[in-house]
């Protein structure tokens, strides 16, 4: 009999991605729980049970009891903690683990030269591979840039370089649908998006939605990447990571160019086609630009 997922727990269910993932899981009829630190001030859906954890094995085992899948949406700098979480998931009999990725293609060997913090994500996947023989399967979901309706515009290079981007609600749909397509998504990287677009196209949509011309700052991907690597070298990890990731998103190293494979996965998972102007209009209205 084919394996099925019913009970799902989301790590960082109150973060910037978590609420959308939770909403789509509930919509897809999963029983959803959340996992959060005791000190967290995040708010959560009234429809989920929230477990507090200090990430000790005992607290994780208590939360993972009877869970079929663990979905991680924790911050980039916390990704190495996932190894402890994965070990507890195996002991609890969890069937599927989706690590916190949702960005560029970290399966590429060269990605750690372009975005050094990506090494932690690669190590998490390497750890997951060692647990396959113990019954834990995994899926990495690559989505490119989050479309969030930023309120200021910086255009890098010519502005017409294509890159992958995904609406946060679409990310939630992709996660939920992955758990409905277990054999097709088992132990692999999958690639989804809302759009393959350019910075100029996003700027035009932002100006149309807000009804005004935007002040645009110009820069280069090369300068941004160099600045990020220098910050990392000096120990400014947070800002260095942001700059190297941003440079990669917009074209540095070709790690955010998924090609035609997104269309295949979007179709397999039943993800809806989206209209850029409508998505940007919704994001702008939400932020009240």
């Amino acid at each position: 009999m084919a394996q099925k997922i019913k009970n799902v727990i989301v790590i960082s269910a109150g973060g910037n991605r978590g609420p959308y993932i939770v909403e789509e899981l509930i919509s897809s009829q999963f029983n959803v729980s959340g996992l959060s630190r005791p000190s967290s001030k995040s708010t959560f859906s009234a429809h989920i049970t929230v477990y507090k954890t200090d990430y000790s094995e005992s607290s994780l085992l208590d939360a993972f009891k009877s869970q079929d899948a663990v979905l991680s949406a924790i911050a980039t700098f916390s990704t190495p903690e996932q190894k402890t979480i994965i070990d507890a998931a195996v002991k609890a009999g969890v069937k599927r683990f989706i690590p916190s990725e949702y960005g560029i293609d970290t399966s590429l060997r060269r990605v750690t030269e372009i975005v050094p913090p990506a090494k932690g994500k690669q190590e998490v996947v390497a750890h997951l591979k060692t647990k396959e023989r113990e019954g834990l399967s995994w899926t990495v979901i690559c989505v490119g840039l989050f479309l969030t309706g930023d309120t200021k515009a910086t255009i890098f290079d010519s502005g017409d370089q294509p890159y992958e981007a995904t609406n946060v609600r679409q990310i939630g749909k992709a996660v939920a649908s992955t758990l409905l397509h277990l054999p097709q998504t088992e132990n692999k990287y999958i690639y989804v998006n809302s759009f393959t677009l350019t910075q100029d196209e996003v700027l035009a949509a932002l100006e149309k939605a807000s009804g005004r011309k935007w002040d645009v700052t110009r820069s280069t991907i090369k300068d941004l990447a160099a600045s990020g690597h220098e910050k990392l070298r000096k120990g400014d990890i947070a800002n260095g990571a942001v700059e190297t990731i941003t440079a990669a998103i917009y074209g540095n190293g070709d790690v955010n160019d998924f090609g035609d494979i997104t269309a295949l996965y979007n179709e397999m998972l039943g993800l809806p086609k989206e209209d850029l102007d409508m998505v940007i209009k919704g994001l702008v209205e939400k932020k009240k630009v």
Side-chain angles (χ1 to χ4, degrees):
M1 182 180 292
Q3 203 174 62
K4 290 186 177 180
I5 300 294
K6 188 60 179 176
N7 300 320
V8 182
I9 189 165
V10 180
I11 303 171
S12 194
N16 60 351
R17 292 160 294 189
Y20 296 95
I21 292 173
V22 167
E23 184 177 335
E24 293 299 332
L25 288 169
I26 292 172
S27 178
S28 296
Q29 305 301 308
F30 291 102
N31 297 326
V32 186
S33 301
L35 190 70
S36 179
R37 294 183 185 275
S39 59
S40 174
K41 304 299 183 185
S42 297
T43 57
F44 303 92
S45 167
H47 302 289
I48 70 172
T49 299
V50 178
Y51 293 89
K52 296 294 184 178
T53 180
D54 58 3
Y55 289 96
S56 63
E57 182 180 89
S58 60
S59 68
L60 290 171
L61 287 174
D62 182 60
F64 294 165
K65 185 169 50 180
S66 301
Q67 300 292 345
D68 298 313
V70 175
L71 311 184
S72 178
I74 63 177
T76 295
F77 302 119
S78 300
T79 51
E81 292 180 359
Q82 291 180 104
K83 293 180 184 179
T84 300
I85 297 168
I86 290 164
D87 291 344
V90 171
K91 286 189 176 183
V94 170
K95 302 169 186 174
R96 179 64 60 95
F97 191 95
I98 298 180
S100 184
E101 288 268 348
Y102 318 108
I104 59 177
D105 186 357
T106 58
S107 73
L108 302 172
R109 288 187 178 181
R110 67 179 182 275
V111 75
T112 56
E113 299 174 7
I114 299 156
V115 183
K119 182 179 180 180
K121 293 191 174 187
Q122 289 186 335
E123 290 174 347
V124 167
V125 175
H127 192 63
L128 280 167
K129 289 179 179 180
T130 69
K131 302 302 178 182
E132 292 173 14
R133 61 182 177 271
E134 298 180 55
L136 182 67
S137 63
W138 55 273
T139 309
V140 168
I141 303 175
C142 299
V143 304
L145 174 72
F146 290 2
L147 280 176
T148 58
D150 288 340
T151 57
K152 56 184 178 181
T154 299
I155 300 295
F156 296 98
D157 296 344
S158 63
D160 62 359
Q161 314 95 308
Y163 62 93
E164 313 295 348
T166 307
N167 183 12
V168 285
R169 189 166 297 282
Q170 185 90 316
I171 295 172
K173 292 180 183 297
V175 170
S177 189
T178 293
L179 297 181
L180 296 173
H181 294 82
L182 294 178
Q184 301 95 321
T185 60
E186 182 177 2
N187 301 336
K188 64 177 63 175
Y189 287 74
I190 67 171
Y191 303 85
V192 302
N193 70 0
S194 294
F195 311 102
T196 299
L197 40 63
T198 69
Q199 296 169 83
D200 286 342
E201 289 172 337
V202 173
L203 177 61
L206 285 167
E207 291 183 337
K208 180 179 179 180
S210 60
R212 64 177 176 85
K213 294 292 289 183
W214 283 43
D215 293 327
V216 176
T217 301
R218 295 279 173 176
S219 187
T220 69
I221 292 171
K222 181 179 178 180
D223 286 347
L224 182 65
S227 174
H229 280 278
E230 180 64 11
K231 285 183 172 67
L232 291 173
R233 189 184 67 80
K234 292 181 176 179
D236 185 358
I237 304 301
N239 290 314
V242 168
E243 291 186 354
T244 55
I245 291 169
T246 302
I249 286 289
Y250 292 123
N252 188 38
D254 295 323
V255 294
N256 191 31
D257 179 6
F258 303 158
D260 295 336
I261 196 170
T262 55
L264 297 176
Y265 278 113
N266 285 354
E267 182 178 3
M268 182 192 77
L269 297 176
L271 301 182
K273 293 184 178 180
E274 298 183 274
D275 178 89
L276 181 61
D277 284 337
M278 291 300 295
V279 168
I280 294 297
K281 181 180 178 181
L283 293 171
V284 167
E285 288 177 348
K286 185 175 181 180
K287 288 207 169 189
K288 298 180 180 179
V289 175

